[in-house]
Amino acid sequence: MFTHAIVRPPAANLTQALTTSSPLGVPDPALAARQHQAYVEALTRCAMEVHRLEPAADFPDGPFVEDTALLTPRGAVITRPGAPSRRDEAALNRPAIEGYFDEVFAIEAPGTLDAGDVMMVGDHYYVGLSERTNAEGARQLGAILARWGYAASTVPLADGLHLKSSVSYLEHGHLLITEALAGQPAFALFTQVIVPEEETYAANTLWVNETLLVAEGFPRTLARLRDAMALPIITLGMGEFEKVDGGLSCLSLRFRPTRSA
């Protein structure tokens, strides 16, 4: 169970964020701010204490804090994002993270790692090898995780920005997964809830303390989740963040602190 979350609301410069989804249009920063506020309220409803950072006027991708750190039950890893324009976001967020963790390590060059490519399943971490996360970054992460008694394995990605763009662990042995990734041998032993091909964005669904946060507007995925799992569901508007490749998990770092207040 999580007790805390770190978030950073969007700034006006969200319109300049990196995107592979340009046909969807340019995001409206004011609407994005309202969608972000609804997201924060949902986290609060899930019994989370939310630490809000200030909007980052120099970092258009600043709201996507998940990519900048991996927060485990035993320590934190500051990443080295694969997009050069995002590298300094990790340092920007580090002071807030250090306030909650006794042990903090970092990925170093030439490794790159976006934590959106890392999926935790109990004591095992699946690391997607993508355009943003390279083999050296995955190797460094595996070595850090081993210090804490965790295991890690890599998953090659042919499609999707991040691993968690295509698969989400929903606890209780369930994965929400795209059709394209469903045949991946690493995930063969899980109960798979398949996302319809036309609703792939909904694969990034977020489990928070026995509640599922699901992007609204994807009715077939929602119906499959309700059939597969008896968990409460909160649907949230994510349209403005979808325009810049952002998903539900991207917008927060969720954790239990290891450092006493």
Side-chain angles (χ1 to χ4, degrees):
M1 303 289 280
F2 301 120
T3 60
H4 290 67
I6 293 173
V7 303
R8 186 182 296 280
N13 60 1
L14 184 68
T15 57
Q16 302 166 36
L18 298 172
T19 183
T20 61
S21 305
S22 55
L24 296 177
V26 177
D28 176 342
L31 179 53
R34 294 195 294 273
Q35 291 178 344
H36 192 275
Q37 176 60 27
Y39 177 87
V40 170
E41 290 170 359
L43 294 179
T44 302
R45 288 170 58 187
C46 295
M48 302 275 279
E49 180 179 317
V50 180
H51 179 163
R52 303 187 201 209
L53 304 175
E54 291 297 317
D58 294 330
F59 297 97
D61 291 278
F64 307 128
V65 292
E66 180 184 55
D67 289 327
T68 66
L70 178 68
L71 307 185
T72 83
R74 296 168 192 163
V77 182
I78 306 301
T79 69
R80 185 169 180 266
S85 65
R86 300 196 64 193
R87 296 268 162 84
D88 290 341
E89 290 177 38
L92 181 69
N93 295 337
R94 183 167 184 156
I97 293 164
E98 288 179 330
Y100 291 104
F101 287 88
D102 295 310
E103 287 196 306
V104 180
F105 293 92
I107 303 298
E108 300 178 353
T112 62
L113 181 79
D114 278 16
D117 276 318
V118 184
M119 183 175 71
M120 180 183 74
V121 179
D123 287 343
H124 191 96
Y125 289 76
Y126 293 92
V127 185
L129 298 179
S130 70
E131 292 184 3
R132 302 288 178 87
T133 296
N134 64 19
E136 173 59 17
R139 185 199 66 77
Q140 290 183 34
L141 178 63
I144 295 168
L145 292 172
R147 297 170 66 110
W148 295 321
Y150 297 129
S153 60
T154 58
V155 179
L157 298 179
D159 299 300
L161 179 63
H162 291 129
L163 178 65
K164 287 192 290 192
S165 300
S166 300
V167 59
S168 300
Y169 185 54
L170 306 180
E171 303 294 326
H172 312 291
H174 284 71
L175 291 178
L176 180 65
I177 190 166
T178 62
E179 294 178 1
L181 201 59
Q184 167 58 239
F187 303 136
L189 297 181
F190 292 93
T191 299
Q192 297 187 358
V193 182
I194 307 297
V195 178
E197 185 175 359
E198 70 276 15
E199 295 189 0
T200 55
Y201 179 77
N204 185 250
T205 285
L206 185 58
W207 178 96
V208 183
N209 298 343
E210 294 302 304
T211 294
L212 299 181
L213 306 188
V214 182
E216 69 179 16
F218 302 94
R220 294 183 65 195
T221 301
L222 185 61
R224 292 182 183 186
L225 285 170
R226 285 176 169 154
D227 287 342
M229 305 188 73
L231 293 178
I233 293 176
I234 299 173
T235 59
L236 293 167
M238 288 290 294
E240 300 313 297
F241 296 105
E242 183 182 4
K243 293 174 181 177
V244 284
D245 298 337
L248 286 158
S249 70
C250 306
L251 290 176
S252 64
L253 289 161
R254 304 155 303 280
F255 60 98
R256 293 178 67 95
T258 67
R259 174 172 291 180
S260 301

